[in-house]
């Protein structure tokens, strides 16, 4: 099956700093990428959908100026958490899909904001 | 709000027994999928069932779908310790493509050796 990677797998940062998380589709071209957030022992909540070359579509309640998403190529999308606060600590998971098929999920990035 | 609710929230069974998890959803769907997530890891796709299907099998997995009741069940037969994980259902309204998924609340399954 298709492989999606995320980098970094874990990140710890100080409050007020910005953190960038990368999501890459390694062996296919992803026309659409999704970003999810998962709090401990909870389900995945979709944050935004991004299509290559266009602006991301954010779900209700997700601040687009705080969670910057860039999908500059067919194999890379980035999520930048700006001015991170402890309440942003979470597990962030991306998924990628192409026109034909299913979503393939990355392994996730655990963000801890001190 | 959550599209999917799963029950039970947590389930512990002895190795070798069968595990059944249920998922209910609220709106019309095209597909329903089940995923597994080991603690602190990403999702593993298990099985997809389309809205015009009623039952599907894959190895030790059996999934049913009742669109009239807006519910699905996942049965894992002859459970193994390695099946310990959280299981999520997810629904989408597309023809299995690049449309967003809505996840259920999940069932934490523990297999006792």
């Amino acid at each position: 099956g298709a492989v999606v990677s995320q980098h970094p797998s874990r990140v710890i940062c100080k409050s007020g700093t910005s953190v960038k998380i990368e999501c890459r589709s390694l062996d296919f071209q992803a026309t659409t990428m999704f970003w999810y957030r998962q709090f401990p022992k909870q389900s995945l909540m979709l944050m935004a959908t991004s299509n290559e070359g266009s602006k991301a579509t954010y779900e209700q309640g997700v601040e687009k100026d705080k969670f910057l998403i860039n999908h500059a190529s067919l194999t890379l999308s980035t999520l930048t958490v700006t001015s991170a606060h402890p309440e942003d600590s979470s597990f962030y998971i991306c998924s990628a899909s192409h026109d034909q098929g299913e979503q393939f999920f990355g392994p996730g990035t655990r963000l801890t904001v001190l | 709000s959550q599209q999917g609710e799963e029950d039970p929230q947590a389930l512990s069974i002895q190795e070798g027994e069968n595990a059944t998890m249920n998922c209910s959803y609220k709106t019309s769907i095209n597909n329903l999928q089940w995923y597994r997530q080991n603690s602190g890891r990403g999702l593993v796709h298990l099985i997809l069932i389309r809205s015009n299907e009623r039952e599907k099998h894959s190895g030790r997995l059996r999934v049913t779908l009742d669109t009239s009741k807006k519910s699905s069940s996942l049965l894992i037969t002859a459970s193994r310790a390695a099946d310990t994980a959280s299981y999520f259902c997810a629904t989408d309204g597309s023809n299995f493509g690049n449309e967003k998924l809505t996840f259920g609340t999940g069932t934490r399954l523990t297999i006792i050796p």
Side-chain angles (χ1 to χ4, degrees):
Chain A
V3 179
V4 175
S5 70
Q6 281 184 240
H7 178 79
S9 57
R10 291 176 179 269
V11 57
I12 301 172
C13 68
K14 292 183 179 180
S15 187
T17 61
S18 294
V19 175
K20 181 186 284 188
I21 302 170
E22 293 184 348
C23 177
R24 292 183 186 272
S25 57
L26 298 185
D27 50 6
F28 69 101
Q29 293 188 325
T31 50
T32 306
M33 286 185 170
F34 302 85
W35 286 96
Y36 297 84
R37 180 168 54 185
Q38 184 181 31
F39 292 107
K41 297 184 179 179
Q42 294 189 24
S43 188
L44 280 75
M45 297 298 292
L46 180 67
M47 300 174 67
T49 303
S50 76
N51 292 294
E52 185 265 339
S54 61
K55 289 184 180 180
T57 302
Y58 290 81
E59 294 299 299
Q60 193 173 10
V62 178
E63 299 174 58
K64 62 180 181 180
D65 294 331
K66 181 168 183 62
F67 298 100
L68 301 178
I69 291 172
N70 185 284
H71 192 165
S73 77
L74 285 171
T75 58
L76 173 64
S77 175
T78 60
L79 167 68
T80 302
V81 183
T82 62
S83 187
H85 288 101
E87 58 264 31
D88 298 325
S89 298
S90 188
F91 195 54
Y92 292 87
I93 302 176
C94 73
S95 71
S97 70
H98 52 69
D99 288 339
Q100 299 288 330
E102 65 187 270
Q103 290 184 36
F104 299 96
F105 284 81
T109 296
R110 180 155 313 279
L111 170 63
T112 303
V113 184
L114 302 177
Chain B
S1 62
Q2 288 286 342
Q3 160 77 316
E5 301 273 338
E6 289 175 67
D7 77 270
Q9 289 189 341
L11 178 64
S12 292
I13 60 173
Q14 292 291 132
E15 190 169 20
E17 293 181 341
N18 296 340
T20 300
M21 291 159 271
N22 302 296
C23 165
S24 61
Y25 57 92
K26 295 175 183 171
T27 63
S28 297
I29 63 169
N30 270 356
N31 307 290
L32 186 143
Q33 302 179 64
W34 284 90
Y35 290 86
R36 185 183 73 221
Q37 183 182 36
N38 290 85
S39 180
R41 302 287 184 89
L43 297 179
V44 174
H45 183 262
L46 296 176
I47 198 166
L48 176 146
I49 187 166
R50 300 189 190 280
S51 59
N52 60 355
E53 297 176 312
R54 292 296 166 257
E55 187 171 313
K56 204 161 183 180
H57 297 254
S58 176
R60 293 185 296 114
L61 306 180
R62 173 176 166 255
V63 168
T64 63
L65 179 65
D66 186 336
T67 52
S68 67
K69 295 180 179 178
K70 291 187 167 59
S71 68
S72 173
S73 68
L74 170 67
L75 168 68
I76 303 174
T77 60
S79 62
R80 304 168 182 169
D83 295 329
T84 294
S86 290
Y87 291 82
F88 295 93
C89 67
T91 57
D92 75 73
S94 77
N95 289 318
F96 190 38
N98 48 9
E99 194 163 308
K100 62 183 183 181
L101 295 175
T102 304
F103 283 83
T105 50
T107 294
R108 288 201 315 280
L109 175 65
T110 302
I111 307 299
I112 303 165

